[in-house]
Amino acid sequence: MKFRTNIEKNDKDSKELNVLIIDDNEQITKMLTTFLELNNHKCIVANDGKQGLALIQENHYDVILLDLAMPEFDGYAVIESLESKGMLKNNKIIVFTASTITQEGLDELVNRGVSSYILKPIDIDLLLSKIIQSATS
Amino acid sequence: MIPIKYILFLVSGVSSFIIFYMGLVNYITAIDGVTGIILLIFATAVSAGTLLSTTYISKSITKPIEKLAENMTEFSKTNKIINKKPINTNIKEIYELNTNFESMGKKVEETISMQNEYVEKLKHIDKKKVEFSSMVSHELKTPLVPILGYVQMLQKQELMGPLNNQQLDAINEIYSSALKLQKLVGDILTTQKLDLGKLVFNNENIQISEFLDLIIKDFTPITHLKKIQLVKEYDANDMLFSDRDRINQVFSNLIKNSIDFVVPETGQIIIGAKLDNQSMQFFVKDNGVGISMDNQKEIFKKFYQIDTSTSRKRDGSGLGLAICKGIIEGLGGKIWVESKENIGTTFYFTIPIHSMSK
Ligand SMILES: Nc1ncnc2c1ncn2[C@@H]1O[C@H](COP(=O)(O)OP(=O)(O)OP(=O)(O)O)[C@@H](O)[C@H]1O
Ligand SMILES: [Mg+2]
C-alpha cells in the first residue's frame, strides 16, 4: 500500500518542456498527454516507431517517451536507427515498457545511451520527475 | 582379455604336436619298418588335419564373432546400427546372435530418436508457455496504465479539481484495487517463470548490514502507521555474492506477512543474518499469531492460505511464500518455518557460501 501526501505543485517557473510520446496505445498516449499538459508541458504523439523516428530527425524535443513493444517498427528499432545515425546520445530518451524485459536488458539500453527507463504501469510522480531530470541533465 | 583365435590355435597346436610326437615314438619303437612308417604317416596326417581344421573353424567362428564384437562396440559408442560391417556365417548360433543384435539395435535406435523428438516437443511447449505468460502479463498490464494514471491525477486534487470525501474514498479504493491487480499479475508471472526455471538471477556483492538497513527503511512508513517494531539483529560485517533484488523480494514478502499477523502496538519483527558454516542464514521473526504444525507443511504451496478470521481480512493471493521458496531454491538455498501458535513465527532461509566473494 502506498500512502500519498499532497505533493507540492511543480514549480510554476519550471520551463515548459517539449515532449514526444511514441506509443501505439492511444489510451496510454491520451492519458500521458493529459497529465503532462496539466503540468504545463507540450506533447506531440507518434503512434508508431517509423513516425516517431521521422519526427525525431526533423525536430528537437526536450524529452522523448518511447514504448518498447510496438508492432513492426518497435522501440528497439527506433533505438537502433538512432544509434546507427549517431543520434542516440543527443536525444533524451526515456524508455517505458510493460514487457518482461530483464534488469540487465534495461541496464544495457542505458549503457548504449538511453537516458532513463520507467516500467508500466506508471507512477505518474516518478514519470514527471524522470522527465524533468532527463531534460535538465 | 585373450582373443578366441589364440585359444583355438593353442589347443590345436598342442594336440597336433602330441599326436605327431606319439607317431614319432611309435615309428622309432616299431617292430618292423613298414608298420612304423605307416604309423608316422598316419600321425602326421592327423596332426596336419587338426591344424587345417582349426584354421577353418577359426575363419568360420572367430571372424564373425570378431566382427560382431566390433559392431557392438561401434554401436555402444554411436547408438547407430547403420554403419555395421556385414557378417556372413553358416553357423546357426552366430547367425541368431547377429540377427537378434541387429533387431535389438534397431529398436534402441528408434527409441532414442523418438525420445529426442519428445525432448524437442517439450522444449517447444516450454517456450510457448513462457511466450504466452509474458504476452498475458503484457496485455494485462497495458490497460492498467491509463487506469492508474487517471486515478493518480484525480487523487492530486490540484490537477483535476477538488473532490468531496465520498469521491475521494471511491478513487482511493479504485487505486488500491488496481495496485493489487498489478501485484497479482506480476506474482503470477514470477511463479510461472520459477516453475519453468526461466527466472534469471543477477548476482552482485551485497553488504549485508547495509542491505538489512535499507529493507527496514522501506517499511518504516507502514510500521510507523501500525505502531509495529521492525528491527535488525546483526552486527557482523559480511559480504554476500547473490541476487540483491530477489533476496529483497523474499524479505519483503516475509515482512509483509509478519506485519499482517502481529498485533499493532505490541507487534515486533526482527530480521537478521548469521554465518552458518556453508551458508549465510537469514531470518524474519515475529511475535504474531503463529502457524499450526499442519499448516506449516502447506503454506509454501501456491495459492495456499490459512482460513482464519485474520487472514480473511487480508487480501493476499497465497503466492508470496511459493515465490520465496522458488527464489531461494533457485539461488541454491533452503527456506523453512518454525512457529508456535500464539507465540510467533520465524522464517529462515539460507544462501550458500560458495556464492560468496571476498
Ligand atoms: N508470519 C506469519 N504468521 C502467521 N501466518 C502466516 C505468516 N506468514 C504466512 N502465514 C500464512 O501463510 C499463508 C501463505 O502466505 P503467502 O505469503 O504465501 O500468501 P499471502 O500472504 O496470503 O498472499 P500473497 O503473499 O500472495 O499476497 C498466509 O495466508 C498465512 O495464512
Ligand atoms: Mg504474503
Side-chain angles (χ1 to χ4, degrees), chain B residues 260-261 289 308-314:
Chain B
D260 285 346
F261 290 102
V289 296
T308 60
S309 56
T310 340
S311 41
R312 252 176 270 128
K313 277 183 222 131
R314 312 166 63 231

Side-chain angles (χ1 to χ4, degrees), chain B residues 85 195 233:
Chain B
K85 294 180 179 166
D195 280 356
E233 196 177 278

Side-chain angles (χ1 to χ4, degrees), chain B residues 183 257 261 286 291 299 304-306 314 316-321:
Chain B
K183 175 182 175 288
N257 285 347
F261 290 102
D286 69 48
I291 304 168
I299 48 172
Y304 188 86
Q305 291 180 295
I306 303 167
R314 312 166 63 231
S317 55
L319 285 173
L321 288 174

